[in-house]
Amino acid sequence: MARPHIMFVQAQMIPWSRGLHGDARPDVECKTLSRDDTDDSASCIVRYPAGWQRSTVEQLACHEEFLVLDGAIEINGRLYEKHTYAFLPAGYRRERARVRHGCVLLDLFYATPSLRTAGMSQHTPNPAEFDERLLVEYVNPLLMDWDPGLVDPQLSKGVAIKPLRTDPYTGETSFLYCSPPHRVPPGMAKPQWTHPMVEELYTLEGDYVWGDLGRMQRGGYCWWRENVYHGPAGTDTGYNLFVRTVNGPLINTFDTVKKPFSWDPPHRPMLPPELAPYGQPLPPQPNY
Ligand SMILES: [Fe+2]
């Protein structure tokens, strides 16, 4: 079946395993956040050791989308530093790659992360080897302004977006989404909401408080399935989220009934059996 509903797991709780589920990178460590057992697509945290390198041409058989969480990786001579982003379509040529001091990626694979056959990877570069309309070779969000005009006007004020990619075929979109601190539901009550598509969330920084699920902290991850209502939500600290829609553009659908919100909701994540052992809350980290 497609990927199960995950709301939410702290990536810090998931153990590392060796290599990816495809054969592309046996020499990295991986935490699997979610994986589809029909098309083998998956969302992972991938840790490259210091000194990792490839000096031969490599082409993945699937699209790879990534955001650097920590450290840096160099691909084709370009350095991807913390919070930079890319969408490299299946067949994109990596002439060489290396990691000097270690690197951790939020790494999204659109099918099994395996290598294209060696024979194919040796011939001269041919742009038709990958779909250029899908290529987003490099985005540095630190050089972009936050744009509040891109946010759905149904959402309360104060949030803003840095766009990363919109798929020209499907309208699927990836972006950074930030809130300032002290964004409180008016009267401590708001309707829940949902979407007709999957929404994937990764908490880069800050706390995102779900009235129905608990306090999601940095490293918190969601695979929010279609038409499941959650919330209301608020933030005392502010947050910076990576968001991706799957199976269509972003659409928010609000319920009509207001539900109560509190800053300390019970920790009640909704997790599939494989993630249930890692469903504990992170210990609080006081700033004093
Ligand atoms: Fe949403």
Side-chain angles (χ1 to χ4, degrees):
M1 81 177 244
R3 297 190 223 187
H5 189 63
I6 298 168
M7 293 287 286
F8 55 88
V9 66
Q10 292 290 154
Q12 294 92 333
M13 299 294 177
I14 302 174
W16 295 102
S17 56
R18 191 79 185 150
L20 303 180
H21 56 291
D23 65 1
R25 285 163 205 153
D27 45 1
V28 298
E29 289 176 296
C30 178
K31 298 184 183 212
T32 302
L33 301 169
S34 64
R35 181 172 166 188
D36 187 318
D37 62 9
T38 52
D39 64 11
D40 217 17
S41 62
S43 299
C44 305
I45 308 283
V46 175
R47 182 162 71 184
Y48 289 78
W52 181 94
Q53 65 171 330
R54 289 281 193 281
S55 45
T56 53
V57 176
E58 188 183 273
Q59 289 171 294
L60 285 197
C62 70
H63 306 323
E64 179 183 10
E65 176 174 10
F66 68 79
L67 183 90
V68 179
L69 296 180
D70 207 1
I73 184 168
E74 193 181 306
I75 301 172
N76 295 348
R78 172 178 275 131
L79 189 64
Y80 293 86
E81 296 180 288
K82 185 171 175 175
H83 289 187
T84 58
Y85 167 88
F87 185 100
L88 306 180
Y92 176 84
R93 285 174 69 91
R94 291 149 220 257
E95 306 288 340
R96 61 193 189 282
R98 67 175 173 169
V99 169
R100 271 181 205 253
H101 305 297
C103 182
V104 180
L105 303 181
L106 173 63
D107 220 345
L108 316 175
F109 300 104
Y110 281 63
T112 314
S114 54
L115 293 179
R116 282 207 175 162
T117 55
M120 285 181 72
S121 63
Q122 296 307 315
H123 58 187
T124 41
N126 171 3
E129 285 176 9
F130 65 87
D131 186 341
E132 291 200 56
R133 290 189 69 199
L134 290 176
L135 177 64
V136 179
E137 206 155 29
Y138 176 82
V139 177
N140 184 355
L142 277 73
L143 301 179
M144 299 163 70
D145 287 327
W146 288 105
D147 188 347
L150 295 175
V151 177
D152 183 339
Q154 295 183 94
L155 298 171
S156 55
K157 288 193 300 267
V159 289
I161 281 176
K162 292 188 181 189
L164 299 172
R165 152 187 129 94
T166 297
D167 190 293
Y169 305 107
T170 64
E172 291 171 323
T173 184
S174 300
F175 53 93
L176 299 182
Y177 184 76
C178 83
S179 170
H182 301 176
R183 225 157 52 85
V184 186
M188 292 300 267
K190 242 169 62 170
Q192 294 192 312
W193 81 104
T194 189
H195 324 84
M197 75 300 153
V198 169
E199 187 175 77
E200 183 170 47
L201 305 171
Y202 193 85
T203 315
L204 299 173
E205 294 297 342
D207 289 9
Y208 189 111
V209 182
W210 300 96
D212 58 336
L213 299 169
R215 180 173 287 264
M216 182 166 80
Q217 301 185 63
R218 65 205 298 259
Y221 172 79
C222 302
W223 182 269
W224 186 348
R225 287 298 304 260
E226 307 89 333
N227 305 317
V228 184
Y229 280 85
H230 282 298
T235 181
D236 40 5
T237 63
Y239 54 74
N240 185 8
L241 303 180
F242 171 84
V243 181
R244 174 170 72 135
T245 72
V246 181
N247 298 331
L250 177 65
I251 296 170
N252 294 301
T253 310
F254 288 85
D255 199 359
T256 49
V257 188
K258 284 188 178 179
K259 294 216 167 162
F261 175 83
S262 85
W263 291 117
D264 298 297
H267 186 76
R268 282 188 299 228
M270 296 173 67
L271 296 171
E274 64 273 20
L275 287 178
Y278 315 123
Q280 306 89 343
L282 275 193
Q285 293 157 33
N287 61 354
Y288 50 84

